Amino acid sequence: MRILKKILKITAKVIAGIFAFYFLLSLVLVPLISPWIASWQATKILKTPVKVRTILFNPFLLRLNIKGFEIKDNNKQLILSLDRSWCDFSFLSLFKKIYRVESLGAEGLKVNAVLSEKMEINLLKLVPVEIPAPGKVKAQQGKPVSQKPSEAEKPKPLPIVVVDLITLSGSTVNFTDYSVNPNFATSINNINLRITNLSTKPDAVARATFEAKLDEKGLISAELSANPLKVPLSLETVFKLNDYALQILTPYVGKYTGRKVKSGKMSLSMDYKIEDNKLIATHKLLVDNFDFGDKVESKDVIHLPYGLALALLEDTQDKIKINLPVTGDMSKPDFHYTHLIGQFLKNFFMNLVTKPFSFLGSIAGAENASEELGSIRFLPGKTDLADSEKEKLNLIIKALNDRPNLNLKINGSYDNQVDWKAIKTDVFNNDFRVLRSDSTRKDAWVYQELYQRRFGIKALWRLTSSYRSKEGIYDEEKLNAEIKRQVIEEGKADKVALEALAMGRAKVVYDFVISAGLDIKRVSMGDPHEAKAIEGFVPLELSLTGFGDTFEGDPVLPTIK
């Protein structure tokens, strides 16, 4: 009995010693030594100054607290800092073979991201580059690509890890871009992030909410629910940005458009849903009171009719509303999200500036609106507006009344051959009727008289002799047809007459749109020009202008990879 008591007494002392050592280690030595060790090791790994002020660990509650964490670059400029972070681990859940973190959080995070003139981001320099050992590289190179994994190499089931709550509050991210001139700077302030039920369980649905201020002038909010480990991925998210002042984007707008941003606010809403490898997304953009400012010099300007695009999009309340749906099959090998979005944006803008009248037609509610809306057809030699062309103009006028910053330019046109032939035909037919009404002779005499007036008596003798048979009989039908052809087609076209025809057509269209209610200040007539007849009609082309831009030719957008 006395031996048992002695054993128990010794055991109690050992346990008390272990407890005292554990207590001394966690509550005394760790706070004293760990900040120095953590700072030293982090500086060694990141190759940049790192400082940790305080590390506290509660061995009974399994709670870790870190205060005063800082990372600076070699110029002693702050890259990242953290006022306080913590992790509360659940000890009891270990008995259920569950690694549970009850709370993981941070306060006062501050990040200073910088993009240099050489297009290098300072944050990437903090990522250590792992260089594999030579033996490992050779082993990997020597391993057949088609080799199937053995049973031992098959991935093991993930342990059950549960994070009940992740929070981030009172945080700021600053971004400065020195690759554009003037330099661009922005910040995201008052960042608050909350994530719940993050787990390695496939059926667990994690939820996240995010709120922040962008440059103190825009509100960002987002909500997300996802099964991160479900195969295939299941996700739903909503992102919103409200009342963002666009003047801040002047460095980028100026770089690619050559113009500053004078005014404007932007709101953006994006809804995404991923289910069964299918992506369904909507992007709703609202821009209010946007206007370009002064011109700026930039070697990277992409010459596109931005003013025309802006005038096409802006309604009577100076608002631009764009709705871009995006769908895609994520199971396809060639699926790339950025490429998909880029193609949608490129196609939208290209269709906008290369097919502006199709866009106008859709505004006016036209079914199957096409670019034919911008071409008014005339019969050769005529200036009369057909009813079908009047309907086109009415649609254009209706759409232009909803786009007050768009102006209409009417470009009179003529076909050098088709129109001149029609004019000469009308002149011949009129002369024939007049001469026919003043004479009782046969049609053949009238034809020959018109020919003689045009080419002379000798030319008439030579022509008629070629249509006389040996018996002295004339083939009057063929002779009359040849006389008419030569009188109409011989000789050069009169450019003055054709330009007068073109201006007459432009004037008819001009008078129609003015009488239909379009503001006279928004309509102008261009110089007459030559065009080619299509399907028996001569097209008169209309042009749209906005903010000094006129669309002519095919704009070239940068390649999206």
Side-chain angles (χ1 to χ4, degrees), residues 44 53 82 101 105 150 266 348 356 367 384 404 413 452 454 474 481:
K44 182 179 178 181
R53 189 173 73 245
L82 195 62
V101 177
S150 63
M266 178 183 72
F348 174 80
E367 295 183 3
D384 303 319
S413 60
Q452 180 180 330
R454 176 68 178 83
Y474 292 95

Side-chain angles (χ1 to χ4, degrees), residues 224-473:
L224 178 143
S225 63
N227 299 76
L229 296 182
K230 182 181 178 181
V231 181
L233 175 66
S234 176
L235 178 146
E236 287 188 39
T237 182
V238 177
F239 173 88
K240 292 182 179 180
L241 169 63
N242 296 320
D243 298 328
Y244 181 65
L246 293 173
Q247 294 96 319
I248 299 170
L249 299 179
T250 283
Y252 294 113
V253 176
K255 180 178 181 179
Y256 297 112
T257 70
R259 302 288 291 271
K260 292 181 179 179
V261 178
K262 184 178 180 181
S263 63
K265 287 185 177 182
M266 178 183 72
S267 295
L268 175 65
S269 175
M270 300 190 299
D271 293 5
Y272 280 72
K273 183 177 181 180
I274 299 175
E275 192 72 37
D276 296 327
N277 280 324
K278 298 295 188 297
L279 169 66
I280 301 174
T282 59
H283 306 80
K284 295 180 180 179
L285 178 68
L286 173 63
V287 179
D288 195 4
N289 290 304
F290 180 86
D291 193 7
F292 282 115
D294 298 333
K295 291 185 177 181
V296 295
E297 294 295 328
S298 174
K299 64 179 181 179
D300 299 314
V301 169
I302 302 173
H303 296 285
L304 293 171
Y306 298 104
L308 174 60
L310 181 60
L312 279 165
L313 292 169
E314 209 163 48
D315 62 19
T316 54
Q317 297 178 334
D318 294 330
K319 296 181 185 295
I320 296 175
K321 300 175 182 177
I322 299 176
N323 186 2
L324 285 177
V326 176
T327 58
D329 188 349
M330 299 175 64
S331 63
K332 293 184 177 179
D334 58 350
F335 176 87
H336 297 285
Y337 171 73
T338 54
H339 178 75
L340 183 65
I341 295 295
Q343 283 299 124
F344 268 90
L345 291 173
K346 178 180 177 180
N347 293 339
F348 174 80
F349 191 79
M350 284 294 291
N351 288 333
L352 184 68
V353 297
T354 61
K355 300 178 181 179
F357 285 97
S358 296
F359 187 81
L360 277 186
S362 64
I363 293 173
E367 295 183 3
N368 301 320
S370 68
E371 276 304 282
E372 291 184 2
L373 200 62
S375 177
I376 306 303
R377 304 190 305 172
F378 286 89
L379 288 170
K382 304 296 182 183
T383 60
D384 303 319
L385 271 175
D387 290 340
S388 60
E389 308 311 296
K390 291 178 181 178
E391 291 178 4
K392 285 184 184 179
L393 289 171
N394 283 326
L395 282 173
I396 293 172
I397 294 165
K398 180 181 178 182
L400 287 175
N401 285 331
D402 289 333
R403 292 294 183 267
N405 294 319
L406 270 180
N407 297 324
L408 181 67
K409 188 176 182 180
I410 304 166
N411 306 296
S413 60
Y414 62 88
D415 186 302
N416 193 58
Q417 296 180 354
V418 174
D419 274 327
W420 183 240
K421 183 177 180 181
I423 291 173
K424 293 289 293 292
T425 301
D426 287 343
V427 171
F428 181 89
N429 291 335
N430 288 334
D431 290 344
F432 183 88
R433 283 193 296 269
V434 171
L435 194 58
R436 173 74 277 177
S437 63
D438 293 339
S439 175
T440 58
R441 298 188 183 187
K442 297 192 327 181
D443 287 351
W445 178 86
V446 178
Y447 277 100
Q448 293 177 28
E449 181 66 19
L450 292 174
Y451 190 88
Q452 180 180 330
R453 291 179 182 180
R454 176 68 178 83
F455 299 106
I457 187 65
K458 290 183 179 180
L460 178 62
W461 288 346
R462 287 193 296 270
L463 179 64
T464 55
S465 63
S466 63
Y467 285 89
R468 184 176 57 193
S469 65
K470 295 179 180 180
E471 291 80 16
I473 300 173

